[in-house]
Amino acid sequence: MKKKVISRFTMILFVIGLMTAIQFNTINEPHSRDTRDVWEIRQELSREKQLHSELLSEIGTLDGTLAKYEEAMNDSPEQALKETVEELRKEAGFTEITGPGLQILIEPSQEAIMSGQNIEQVSPELLIRLVNEINRFNNIDLSIDDKRLINTSPIRDINGRTTINGKPVGTPPFEMKVVAGTAEHAEKIYNHLKASPILDNFYIDNLSVNVMQPETEVKVEAYDEELGLEHLKAAEEE
């Protein structure tokens, strides 16, 4: 009987000890370590600060527009409404834009031409990546093969053809046009694209991307399609 009691007591102590050890390891187990070096953390911080700065700038612009609109409303409500509508049309892409910018020529590579290879269309994925690279900068107006891009413009494959706004993009060569707002902005986009690895991705597809020097006047066409408003409805009056 005494041996049974000692055995049970030993077993209980063993279980308690095992549970204590597991709990100790759980408490002292370190969380997953941040393996980023100082430079990567600084880059992340820089991106966050840039985003914060862009948001503050946008808020300031909207506050200025609101103040201007309120001031104009006191003098001429009708004129203020017309100016607001025109500004909204411009922001939506329904007006032709001319200003400092640059042109980008997408054409067959010299190696592909010399070897007699068939030149196919640019894939939607490749075009989207290039557009995203340009859209790293704010206040950009862009067209591809004379097709204006707006916030809702789809770039996709339809029946084997790359399309923008439902219209097929031509087989290279064709141009992209970028209006950047200011000459300084255009120069930054030019330098960014010249150093971007996205250009190598086009070369793999036997295509060459020629980023031309910034110009004082580049014209981007107006968006000429109807906007899909099926998901919108008028606000109810109070």
Side-chain angles (χ1 to χ4, degrees), residues 76-211:
S76 175
E78 183 179 349
Q79 182 62 27
L81 184 59
K82 288 182 179 179
E83 291 179 0
T84 301
V85 170
E86 186 60 28
E87 185 66 26
L88 291 173
R89 285 179 54 82
K90 181 179 178 181
E91 291 183 7
F94 283 95
T95 60
E96 185 181 277
I97 298 293
T98 301
L102 62 149
Q103 299 185 59
I104 303 168
L105 179 62
I106 299 177
E107 57 187 348
S109 65
Q110 290 297 321
E111 290 80 2
I113 295 175
M114 293 179 65
S115 61
Q117 297 186 40
N118 292 328
I119 305 301
E120 299 181 355
Q121 280 199 317
V122 181
S123 68
E125 295 78 15
L126 205 51
L127 268 185
I128 290 172
R129 291 189 63 185
L130 180 55
V131 169
N132 289 341
E133 199 73 16
I134 297 171
N135 280 335
R136 289 174 179 264
F137 299 84
N138 293 327
N139 302 321
I140 296 298
D141 293 293
L142 173 66
S143 70
I144 301 177
D145 194 22
D146 297 328
K147 299 168 183 60
R148 177 69 176 269
L149 266 74
I150 61 173
N151 290 335
T152 58
S153 290
I155 302 176
R156 57 192 176 191
D157 183 293
I158 298 180
N159 297 327
R161 298 290 303 274
T162 299
T163 64
I164 297 176
N165 300 327
K167 297 180 179 179
V169 177
T171 302
F174 61 81
E175 281 187 338
M176 296 178 63
K177 290 178 283 188
V178 183
V179 172
T182 66
E184 181 182 3
H185 208 186
E187 187 70 27
K188 288 182 179 179
I189 297 173
Y190 170 80
N191 292 330
H192 176 76
L193 290 178
K194 292 291 285 186
S196 174
I198 187 66
L199 306 186
D200 296 331
N201 294 332
F202 278 83
Y203 189 76
I204 293 174
D205 286 356
N206 297 320
L207 297 170
S208 172
V209 180
N210 183 12
V211 184

Side-chain angles (χ1 to χ4, degrees), residues 36-53:
R36 295 178 299 176
D37 58 24
V38 175
W39 179 248
E40 289 175 322
I41 295 174
R42 286 174 62 89
Q43 285 183 317
E44 183 67 25
L45 179 61
S46 176
R47 284 192 291 268
E48 293 297 330
K49 290 181 69 175
Q50 181 180 358
L51 177 59
H52 183 256
S53 176

